[in-house]
Amino acid sequence: MKKILIASLAALTLAGCNSAATKKESAAATKPVGITGSLMSTEVMHNGQKVTVMRNQDTKNTVNPSFAMTSRPCPPFCIQPIVLAPGVETIGEVEMVGYMEAVSAGDDSILIIDSRTPDWAARGMIPGAVNIPWTKLSTRKGADPISIGEIIVEDFGGEEFDGLWKYGKAKTLVMYCNGMWCGQSPTNIKALLDFGYPADKIKWYRGGMQDWETLGFTTVKP
């Protein structure tokens, strides 16, 4: 009789614990997943369409399989430093959202650039970004100085005068690629610095798509 009573009490205790755990999980699942304590979501423009940028609200959501691999061979997928070059600011997600909002509000002095190849961009990119593959700014990948110069003038707002570069009206470039192990945007940034592009007009989102996807942020197609 004593054994039966103990077993019954144990079963009731276990049931109570399971019930409490279920309630906690249910409560956690209904809590909103914000960007910051004061920002739940924001609307930005992408290809002329409004996009609501927020984090995935499913608290059981897991990372995109494209970014689940932890050990890519180095080289070439070596970890990038926090400070890429003197004067180039490294930013995080909250700062990226701020630049996205500024662009959507009509600030044409900022350009958000997805430096990845088109096949990667097609899997999903940050809303408001334009895809300028890193190969178009890399002489190592066949881009010639003239074509790079054309991008600097036509897309970035630089000016060439008597063989010299002027960047008084150049845009602030916010650049990213696949993450802290990706060398695509770093290669582009270093190439632009070689062309004399002002370091203070280059912002680097080091976390790139790896961190963007890990945090469950909205992505769009090109």
Side-chain angles (χ1 to χ4, degrees), residues 76-95:
F77 304 110
C78 298
I79 298 172
Q80 299 294 328
I82 288 292
V83 179
L84 191 62
V88 174
E89 182 184 7
T90 303
I91 66 169
E93 291 74 32
V94 174
E95 292 78 18

Side-chain angles (χ1 to χ4, degrees), residues 20-21 29 59-60 70 74 83 100 122-123 140 152 156 169 191 196 201 219 221:
T59 55
K60 294 184 179 180
T70 64
C74 167
V83 179
M100 293 160 64
R123 303 183 193 190
R140 193 177 60 183
I152 290 175
F156 300 166
K169 298 179 181 179
K201 289 193 174 185
T219 63
K221 301 298 183 182

Side-chain angles (χ1 to χ4, degrees), residues 85-122:
V88 174
E89 182 184 7
T90 303
I91 66 169
E93 291 74 32
V94 174
E95 292 78 18
M96 174 60 86
V97 169
Y99 283 116
M100 293 160 64
E101 290 177 328
V103 170
S104 293
D107 188 343
D108 59 5
S109 70
I110 301 168
L111 185 65
I112 301 173
I113 301 171
D114 184 325
S115 298
R116 301 174 300 160
T117 51
D119 58 323
W120 271 102

Side-chain angles (χ1 to χ4, degrees), residues 138-154:
S138 174
T139 55
R140 193 177 60 183
K141 285 295 182 178
D144 61 87
I146 294 176
S147 62
I148 294 174
E150 288 175 349
I151 292 174
I152 290 175
V153 172
E154 295 173 9

